Short mmCIF file of all heavy atoms in Angstrom, two decimals:
data_model
loop_
_atom_site.label_atom_id
_atom_site.label_comp_id
_atom_site.label_asym_id
_atom_site.label_seq_id
_atom_site.Cartn_x
_atom_site.Cartn_y
_atom_site.Cartn_z
N ASN A 5 0.82 -1.20 0.01
CA ASN A 5 0.01 -0.01 0.04
C ASN A 5 0.87 1.23 -0.01
O ASN A 5 0.59 2.24 -0.71
CB ASN A 5 -0.89 -0.01 1.23
CG ASN A 5 -1.84 1.18 1.28
OD1 ASN A 5 -2.48 1.52 0.28
ND2 ASN A 5 -1.86 1.85 2.41
N ILE A 6 1.96 1.22 0.76
CA ILE A 6 2.84 2.39 0.84
C ILE A 6 3.54 2.61 -0.51
O ILE A 6 3.71 3.77 -0.96
CB ILE A 6 3.90 2.17 1.96
CG1 ILE A 6 3.21 2.15 3.29
CG2 ILE A 6 4.96 3.25 1.90
CD1 ILE A 6 4.13 1.82 4.49
N ILE A 7 3.94 1.49 -1.17
CA ILE A 7 4.61 1.63 -2.46
C ILE A 7 3.68 2.33 -3.48
O ILE A 7 4.08 3.21 -4.23
CB ILE A 7 5.00 0.25 -2.98
CG1 ILE A 7 6.21 -0.27 -2.20
CG2 ILE A 7 5.39 0.32 -4.47
CD1 ILE A 7 6.58 -1.69 -2.50
N TRP A 8 2.43 1.92 -3.47
CA TRP A 8 1.47 2.53 -4.39
C TRP A 8 1.33 4.05 -4.14
O TRP A 8 1.34 4.88 -5.06
CB TRP A 8 0.08 1.91 -4.22
CG TRP A 8 -0.98 2.45 -5.14
CD1 TRP A 8 -1.24 2.10 -6.42
CD2 TRP A 8 -1.88 3.54 -4.82
NE1 TRP A 8 -2.29 2.87 -6.90
CE2 TRP A 8 -2.67 3.75 -6.00
CE3 TRP A 8 -2.10 4.35 -3.70
CZ2 TRP A 8 -3.65 4.75 -6.02
CZ3 TRP A 8 -3.06 5.33 -3.77
CH2 TRP A 8 -3.82 5.53 -4.91
N SER A 9 1.27 4.41 -2.85
CA SER A 9 1.16 5.84 -2.52
C SER A 9 2.41 6.60 -2.91
O SER A 9 2.33 7.70 -3.44
CB SER A 9 0.91 5.99 -1.01
OG SER A 9 0.86 7.33 -0.65
N GLY A 10 3.57 5.98 -2.64
CA GLY A 10 4.88 6.63 -2.97
C GLY A 10 5.00 6.86 -4.45
O GLY A 10 5.45 7.94 -4.91
N VAL A 11 4.71 5.86 -5.27
CA VAL A 11 4.80 5.99 -6.73
C VAL A 11 3.88 7.14 -7.22
O VAL A 11 4.27 7.93 -8.07
CB VAL A 11 4.44 4.66 -7.41
CG1 VAL A 11 4.30 4.87 -8.92
CG2 VAL A 11 5.52 3.61 -7.12
N ARG A 12 2.69 7.17 -6.70
CA ARG A 12 1.75 8.20 -7.10
C ARG A 12 2.28 9.62 -6.79
O ARG A 12 2.15 10.53 -7.60
CB ARG A 12 0.39 8.00 -6.37
CG ARG A 12 -0.65 9.06 -6.65
CD ARG A 12 -1.93 8.81 -5.86
NE ARG A 12 -2.82 9.93 -6.01
CZ ARG A 12 -2.77 11.05 -5.30
NH1 ARG A 12 -1.82 11.20 -4.41
NH2 ARG A 12 -3.65 12.02 -5.49
N ILE A 13 2.82 9.82 -5.60
CA ILE A 13 3.33 11.14 -5.22
C ILE A 13 4.56 11.53 -6.04
O ILE A 13 4.67 12.67 -6.49
CB ILE A 13 3.65 11.14 -3.71
CG1 ILE A 13 2.36 11.00 -2.87
CG2 ILE A 13 4.39 12.42 -3.33
CD1 ILE A 13 2.62 10.90 -1.40
N VAL A 14 5.45 10.56 -6.30
CA VAL A 14 6.63 10.85 -7.11
C VAL A 14 6.22 11.21 -8.53
O VAL A 14 6.78 12.15 -9.13
CB VAL A 14 7.56 9.67 -7.11
CG1 VAL A 14 8.69 9.84 -8.15
CG2 VAL A 14 8.20 9.43 -5.72
N ARG A 15 5.26 10.49 -9.04
CA ARG A 15 4.78 10.79 -10.42
C ARG A 15 4.19 12.21 -10.48
O ARG A 15 4.44 12.95 -11.41
CB ARG A 15 3.73 9.76 -10.87
CG ARG A 15 3.16 10.02 -12.26
CD ARG A 15 2.14 8.93 -12.62
NE ARG A 15 1.56 9.18 -13.92
CZ ARG A 15 0.55 10.00 -14.17
NH1 ARG A 15 -0.03 10.64 -13.14
NH2 ARG A 15 0.11 10.19 -15.36
N MET A 16 3.40 12.56 -9.49
CA MET A 16 2.76 13.86 -9.46
C MET A 16 3.81 14.98 -9.38
O MET A 16 3.68 16.01 -10.06
CB MET A 16 1.84 13.97 -8.25
CG MET A 16 1.02 15.23 -8.12
SD MET A 16 -0.25 15.11 -6.86
CE MET A 16 0.71 14.70 -5.42
N SER A 17 4.86 14.74 -8.62
CA SER A 17 5.97 15.75 -8.56
C SER A 17 6.73 15.85 -9.85
O SER A 17 7.07 16.97 -10.29
CB SER A 17 6.90 15.31 -7.41
OG SER A 17 6.23 15.21 -6.17
N ALA A 18 6.96 14.72 -10.49
CA ALA A 18 7.69 14.71 -11.78
C ALA A 18 6.93 15.47 -12.85
O ALA A 18 7.52 16.22 -13.64
CB ALA A 18 8.00 13.31 -12.21
N LEU A 19 5.63 15.29 -12.88
CA LEU A 19 4.80 16.00 -13.85
C LEU A 19 4.90 17.50 -13.63
O LEU A 19 4.94 18.30 -14.61
CB LEU A 19 3.37 15.53 -13.74
CG LEU A 19 3.07 14.10 -14.27
CD1 LEU A 19 1.60 13.75 -13.98
CD2 LEU A 19 3.37 13.96 -15.75
N GLY A 20 4.91 17.94 -12.36
CA GLY A 20 5.00 19.35 -12.11
C GLY A 20 6.36 19.94 -12.54
O GLY A 20 6.45 20.98 -13.11
N LEU A 21 7.43 19.18 -12.26
CA LEU A 21 8.79 19.66 -12.66
C LEU A 21 8.97 19.69 -14.16
O LEU A 21 9.81 20.43 -14.68
CB LEU A 21 9.85 18.75 -12.03
CG LEU A 21 10.00 18.86 -10.50
CD1 LEU A 21 10.94 17.78 -9.98
CD2 LEU A 21 10.52 20.25 -10.13
N MET A 22 8.16 18.91 -14.91
CA MET A 22 8.23 18.86 -16.37
C MET A 22 7.29 19.85 -17.03
O MET A 22 7.04 19.79 -18.21
CB MET A 22 7.92 17.45 -16.84
CG MET A 22 8.97 16.42 -16.47
SD MET A 22 8.50 14.75 -16.94
CE MET A 22 8.54 14.90 -18.77
N ASP A 23 6.76 20.80 -16.24
CA ASP A 23 5.94 21.91 -16.80
C ASP A 23 4.67 21.29 -17.48
O ASP A 23 4.35 21.72 -18.60
CB ASP A 23 6.69 22.76 -17.76
CG ASP A 23 7.65 23.70 -17.02
OD1 ASP A 23 7.45 23.95 -15.85
OD2 ASP A 23 8.64 24.14 -17.65
N THR A 24 3.99 20.37 -16.85
CA THR A 24 2.80 19.80 -17.40
C THR A 24 1.75 20.86 -17.56
O THR A 24 1.61 21.77 -16.73
CB THR A 24 2.28 18.66 -16.45
OG1 THR A 24 3.32 17.68 -16.33
CG2 THR A 24 1.05 18.03 -17.05
N ALA A 25 0.92 20.73 -18.61
CA ALA A 25 -0.13 21.73 -18.93
C ALA A 25 -1.18 21.71 -17.83
O ALA A 25 -1.31 20.76 -17.04
CB ALA A 25 -0.74 21.40 -20.27
N LEU A 26 -1.94 22.80 -17.78
CA LEU A 26 -3.06 22.88 -16.85
C LEU A 26 -4.09 21.79 -17.17
O LEU A 26 -4.10 21.21 -18.25
CB LEU A 26 -3.74 24.25 -16.93
CG LEU A 26 -2.89 25.47 -16.62
CD1 LEU A 26 -3.76 26.74 -16.66
CD2 LEU A 26 -2.24 25.34 -15.22
N SER A 27 -4.95 21.53 -16.23
CA SER A 27 -5.99 20.47 -16.42
C SER A 27 -6.89 20.89 -17.59
O SER A 27 -7.00 22.04 -17.97
CB SER A 27 -6.80 20.32 -15.16
OG SER A 27 -7.53 21.52 -14.88
N ALA A 28 -7.57 19.89 -18.17
CA ALA A 28 -8.47 20.15 -19.27
C ALA A 28 -9.56 21.16 -18.86
O ALA A 28 -9.98 22.00 -19.69
CB ALA A 28 -9.10 18.83 -19.72
#
């Protein structure tokens, strides 16, 4: 369960650092 949460948070941070576009 912790791994799933950690991967989700890391992915969310990476998207922000990559200048992801605003939501639809």
Side-chain angles (χ1 to χ4, degrees):
N5 182 48
I6 294 175
I7 289 173
W8 180 87
S9 177
V11 169
R12 177 183 172 278
I13 293 175
V14 170
R15 179 180 179 275
M16 185 169 56
S17 303
L19 290 175
L21 290 172
M22 292 176 65
D23 287 336
T24 301
L26 299 183
S27 65

